[in-house]
Amino acid sequence: MKTLMKIISQLMKFSLAFKNPLKPTKKNFILKGQILELQDYVKYKYALDEADDNGWFPLHVAVVQPIQQILEIVLDASYKTLWEYNTCDGETPLTLAINSGLVENVRTLLEKGVWPDTKNLKGETPLLLAIRKGSYDMVSLLIKHNTSLDLPCIKRWSAMHEAAKQGRKDIIALLLKNGGNVHLRDGFGITPLGVAAEYGHCDVLEYLIHKGGDVFALADDGASVLFEAAGGGNPDCISLLLEYGGSGNVPNRSGHLPIHRAAYEGHYLALKYLIPVTSKNAIQKSGLTPIHSAAEGQNVQCLELLIENDFDVNSLLADHISENYDDGRKTALYFAVSNNDILCTEVLLAAGADPNQDPLNCLLVAVRAGNHEIVRLLLSHGANVNCYFMHVNDTRFPSAIQYALNDEAMLRLLLNNGYQVEMCFDCMHGDIFGNSFVWSEIEEDVLPGWTSCVIKDNPFCEFITVPWMKHLVGRVIRILIDYMDYVPLCDKLKSMLEVQREWPEIRQILDSKPTETSYSLDTCQDAGCMYRAAPGKGIFPRNFRGFSL
């Protein structure tokens, strides 16, 4: 036996016959026969109480099909408690009809007495859904049946906000004509004017201003309407707001100005408007420059525009902003490097950005990310290949090499650019000839305003021979010895190398290189170094730089 819902479903299929080449007489006959069958079934009230697995009752099914007679039959026969009943998805019969775009079904429901303000379980009103659907007719019907114009939805988002978001000047005019409020604020304190600005609807923005919208309104986070417009990126909206008195020097609570948001979002034309109306003093007070914002947002065109307008690529983040980052970053270049953004990195370096200003050197970030191109750019513009991590570091040798042990191309890139390879053989274990090493002094390279707290007590031989890295010893040492004339190989490294497959080749190379006894003081001085022999010992080159390949 057919259920009522199956009959309605069949009728929905027949409703598609308007696109079917069946003759009208045949179609009407079939349709008429099904409606008669439906009228017989609704006489039994229990048939209207059946719901499917999705919580849909016959009334829910009836409102999403286009035949008015079917809806009227089912609606009249249903208990009024079902008129507002939610499906499992939280939709009511009225919200289903609106979402289906069936204006006549909406009209039927409202004229039969369905309440126009019943929200779905998402907290959305029928009026908001009608505006989102873009239906002026459904909005008119709801207003005609006394829907509440200012009833807030979830997060206090109103119908007026939705109309501003959709850019529907005609619907906004209809709402205002019937008592709508232009000064409503959503859950974030944003007015419809701010919404229109954010979504770049200049005609709506101007209309709301003429209807009393406050150009100087601030959201709960301190964002101005102009700040919202900068996020939208429409230069016409920015020009309009400036014309009506908007200011580019009003920061939000985090200190960001409209120029920062435009630069971050990559709105080139908006940025052009904001550069001349934003004061240098306001930018300085904010603690960051739009150069930082453009680099963080990976917007190279905005970056170039700012550089053309004489913004300093070496400006540092204020301490209160830098402290919000675990790495303590300071420069715009750091943002570009940490984003693996080759274009922005290249533009900043070409404009004179200093790659050595951050506590965690940009080079270390690029090496760790395995970005060869950015590493080449940084090194060619003076990045310190022998830098140490400024906060915490326990290695005797410069930090960069530890991130390149699995990448021969990266390792050789560092070595070819002056990496102090001799520091990798500077330890206290003694060499293979039985001599004890004397640790060399390391010149501290501390940035102005920074205090070094590094403890450089872990030699390379200890670092590379830990259980989870010892498989790399042979390959890495084989590369390193290419960059040294004299290799003071310690007994710890030798014992580890002897079980590596590279050892025969390394041994052969070591035998061909000068030993410590072949060095004299004159030879060392001729080579340009300043080593001195300890009493009773030979010459031990401690700071002798290897030659690049």
Side-chain angles (χ1 to χ4, degrees), residues 180-195:
N181 185 356
V182 74
H183 300 295
L184 289 175
R185 292 177 178 267
D186 69 4
F188 302 101
I190 301 174
T191 64
L193 193 68
V195 174

Side-chain angles (χ1 to χ4, degrees), residues 348-375:
L348 287 166
L349 289 170
D354 183 349
N356 300 311
Q357 293 194 93
D358 294 277
L360 177 57
N361 195 286
C362 292
L363 181 65
L364 298 182
V365 177
V367 173
R368 185 172 184 178
N371 195 314
H372 297 76
E373 184 59 31
I374 289 183
V375 170

Side-chain angles (χ1 to χ4, degrees), residues 206-254:
E206 187 169 19
Y207 181 77
L208 288 170
I209 292 173
H210 291 162
K211 292 298 181 178
D214 185 5
V215 174
F216 306 105
L218 300 179
D220 293 345
D221 64 354
S224 65
V225 178
L226 185 60
F227 186 89
E228 303 295 351
N234 187 336
D236 293 335
C237 289
I238 291 173
S239 177
L240 181 67
L241 290 168
L242 291 172
E243 180 184 340
Y244 280 92
S247 172
N249 298 317
V250 178
N252 64 9
R253 292 189 187 280
S254 63

Side-chain angles (χ1 to χ4, degrees), residues 388 395-397 420 423 426 440-444 456:
Y388 289 86
T395 62
R396 182 76 176 161
F397 53 94
Q420 288 182 323
M423 295 302 298
D426 193 6
S440 57
E441 295 296 326
I442 300 176
E443 293 184 5
E444 295 290 346
K456 305 182 180 76

Side-chain angles (χ1 to χ4, degrees), residues 417-486:
N417 281 274
Y419 183 86
Q420 288 182 323
V421 65
E422 67 274 10
M423 295 302 298
C424 294
F425 298 95
D426 193 6
C427 72
M428 299 292 288
H429 294 120
D431 65 12
I432 56 176
F433 304 105
N435 298 305
S436 297
F437 295 146
V438 178
W439 281 43
S440 57
E441 295 296 326
I442 300 176
E443 293 184 5
E444 295 290 346
D445 183 17
V446 181
L447 296 176
W450 291 89
T451 300
S452 175
C453 57
V454 296
I455 305 172
K456 305 182 180 76
D457 61 358
N458 190 17
F460 186 74
C461 57
E462 295 284 356
F463 175 83
I464 195 68
T465 56
V466 293
W468 55 91
M469 293 183 68
K470 62 183 182 181
H471 64 286
L472 299 172
V473 173
R475 182 165 60 84
V476 172
I477 297 299
R478 170 62 190 87
I479 295 169
L480 294 182
I481 62 177
D482 284 342
Y483 294 82
M484 295 188 70
D485 284 341
Y486 167 71

Side-chain angles (χ1 to χ4, degrees), residues 263 290-299 303 332-333 335-336 339 341 344 348:
I291 288 276
H292 288 95
S293 301
E296 184 179 10
Q298 304 183 60
N299 298 304
L303 201 55
L333 180 62
F335 283 102
N339 287 335
D341 188 337
C344 284
L348 287 166

